[in-house]
Amino acid sequence: MLEIPKGFNLPAPVKKALTARDGLVMQLAQFKAENADCEPQKRKFPRRGEAPTFIPLLENAEAQWGCEMKEAVKAGKDFPSLAEYMAPYEKKASEYGVRVKALEELIAEADKELIEAVRPILGELVEQAFTQANEAQAAWAEAMRKADAARATAREAVARFCWAVTGGRKGSISGIGWGNGARDGLGAWQTTNDGRITVESMRGLGLVNQWEGSLMLPEFEHMVYNPSNPLAEEVGLEVSRTAGSHECPACGLRVDAGERRVSCIGPKDVRHTRTTFVPKYDLDGERNRNFPKKRNNRYR
């Protein structure tokens, strides 16, 4: 069948032919859906002597005749023969095939009329498509220009944030966003509604690494949100002085704070109130699996 793409301004004769053809197609689909048990089916595992195809309507009717015949014989009543019982079902199945064939022939004729109606206006459709393609290309170019400008603005803003939150230690675009493949850091920028940045975003922006830990200044570490550790939302982090990588022995809260000492501040009646994290001097477990381990001041 001829499929006409959407978006053309078609003349009335073509619209009429298209509507007629589509109406017949819809009618055929609806008829098949309402009489699906009349559609011949292929047997998956045919037995010896069985036909390779069958009609569910007839097969179900024959099985139903067998059950009803047994009940009639048991009750001592007369019961119609198989041929008499199957007659209306066979009539419906045969009419289904005739109806489907007639609709398919009508669809083929309507499709031929549609092709004949479209052929004289192909030149007009070519001009329409050419104009639409030019307009779409111009709109796309303008959208890309605006997107590039917005990306540059956002890249500069992300770089300013990295510069400010690290006290000028990290502010260049180089290296930002390596964690998620976004060199400009836009894909790594993930924040919450309460003005915090996620741990994954810190990693993507290069604000934390396996050698130095967190590059964020201590006074800004409250801005980090860790969705994978709900306990981090229930306690505060107080940075006092340098000491190493840390883990709270009471609550198990883990923080990669570089060389800074971190205190876990929880409710007053909780054991880990103002507990200083235990520093871990052996950072081998924190390193990337591809990074060589340090043995006797040598990396191997």
Side-chain angles (χ1 to χ4, degrees):
M1 291 190 301
L2 178 64
E3 296 294 338
I4 301 178
K6 295 182 179 179
F8 283 116
N9 185 16
L10 301 174
V14 177
K15 289 182 179 179
K16 183 178 179 180
L18 180 62
T19 302
R21 196 279 308 273
D22 290 347
L24 290 172
V25 172
M26 185 177 299
Q27 184 179 348
L28 176 60
Q30 183 177 358
F31 179 74
K32 283 187 173 183
E34 294 174 352
N35 301 274
D37 55 352
C38 295
E39 182 72 22
Q41 304 291 333
K42 185 177 180 180
R43 295 186 187 276
K44 293 184 178 180
F45 306 102
R47 299 177 181 177
R48 181 176 297 180
E50 284 186 335
T53 60
F54 71 99
I55 297 177
L57 175 67
L58 300 181
E59 195 165 88
N60 295 337
E62 186 172 351
Q64 184 179 352
W65 173 83
C67 295
E68 293 182 3
M69 182 194 64
K70 291 179 181 179
E71 294 295 332
V73 172
K74 184 177 180 180
K77 299 180 181 180
D78 295 334
F79 194 76
S81 64
L82 178 61
E84 294 176 352
Y85 187 87
M86 295 294 294
Y89 298 99
E90 292 177 350
K91 180 181 179 182
K92 181 179 179 182
S94 61
E95 290 178 350
Y96 171 83
V98 174
R99 180 80 174 270
V100 169
K101 184 177 180 181
L103 285 173
E104 289 176 348
E105 291 177 354
L106 289 175
I107 291 173
E109 295 176 1
D111 192 59
K112 184 177 179 181
E113 294 178 0
L114 177 62
I115 293 175
E116 293 176 354
V118 169
R119 188 167 295 163
I121 64 166
L122 283 177
E124 178 183 346
L125 298 183
V126 168
E127 293 180 0
Q128 288 186 28
F130 183 81
T131 303
Q132 293 170 354
N134 277 337
E135 294 175 353
Q137 196 276 340
W140 173 80
E142 179 64 16
M144 290 300 297
R145 185 190 64 78
K146 293 181 179 179
D148 290 340
R151 179 176 292 274
T153 301
R155 181 172 60 246
E156 294 172 358
V158 171
R160 287 194 296 270
F161 171 82
C162 294
W163 181 89
V165 82
T166 60
R169 187 176 180 182
K170 184 178 184 62
S172 63
I173 296 299
S174 176
I176 293 180
W178 282 98
N180 66 347
R183 288 292 302 275
D184 50 16
L186 298 183
W189 184 258
Q190 300 176 7
T191 60
T192 59
N193 294 331
D194 55 355
R196 290 183 294 175
I197 189 170
T198 64
V199 174
E200 292 300 325
S201 185
M202 285 188 62
R203 292 172 181 167
L205 294 174
L207 295 177
V208 59
N209 60 51
Q210 59 189 2
W211 300 281
E212 302 171 283
S214 175
L215 303 181
M216 184 179 287
L217 294 178
E219 55 266 33
F220 300 117
E221 289 189 349
H222 66 279
M223 297 179 61
V224 181
Y225 168 68
N226 186 4
S228 61
N229 190 349
L231 185 60
E233 298 305 298
E234 301 175 3
V235 300
L237 300 180
E238 180 182 285
V239 181
S240 56
R241 63 185 182 84
T242 61
S245 182
H246 316 283
E247 178 180 0
C248 177
C251 66
L253 179 61
R254 193 174 192 78
V255 176
D256 292 329
E259 299 179 351
R260 291 184 293 276
R261 182 181 296 275
V262 182
S263 296
C264 181
I265 308 301
K268 294 182 180 180
D269 56 347
V270 179
R271 184 176 58 176
H272 63 253
T273 300
R274 302 194 64 80
T275 300
T276 301
F277 287 6
V278 178
K280 287 195 173 184
Y281 299 102
D282 183 5
L283 300 181
D284 289 343
E286 302 296 325
R287 295 185 184 279
N288 187 286
R289 65 182 64 182
N290 295 324
F291 190 82
K293 295 183 178 181
K294 187 176 182 181
R295 293 290 185 269
N296 298 327
N297 296 325
R298 296 177 62 186
Y299 290 100
R300 43 178 165 169

